[in-house]
Amino acid sequence: MEQCEFKFSCIVEKAFQKSVAGSTKRYIRGLASATNVDLDMERLAESAITAMKRAIDEGVVLPDGTWSL
């Protein structure tokens, strides 16, 4: 399968952090999509939702090699 890069942007309505069991967790809240057909007649793949969740939970490596949450 060929990999491709894409940019994703959205309005974050709220971002906050709190301590859970001795570690700090970060949370974001905003508009999201689902696997059903949206107003643009497009749908988000389940794998894309899983990848975004993993990126939020674990962070990502940026093109310059640095890590970002």
Side-chain angles (χ1 to χ4, degrees):
M1 176 188 291
E2 181 180 333
Q3 290 185 334
C4 63
E5 272 189 49
F6 67 94
K7 292 185 179 187
F8 176 79
S9 62
C10 68
I11 297 171
V12 175
E13 294 176 3
K14 185 171 185 175
F16 60 97
Q17 62 185 30
K18 64 180 180 178
S19 291
V20 177
S23 65
T24 301
K25 300 289 184 179
R26 294 181 180 167
Y27 299 86
I28 61 171
R29 184 181 315 163
L31 183 62
S33 189
T35 56
N36 55 326
V37 177
D38 64 16
L39 296 174
D40 293 321
M41 301 305 292
E42 298 174 339
R43 71 177 69 211
L44 199 57
E46 186 70 36
S47 60
I49 295 172
T50 301
M52 280 192 270
K53 180 183 182 318
R54 187 173 50 250
I56 290 168
D57 290 343
E58 301 172 8
V60 294
V61 177
L62 301 175
D64 67 0
T66 59
W67 178 83
S68 176
L69 184 58

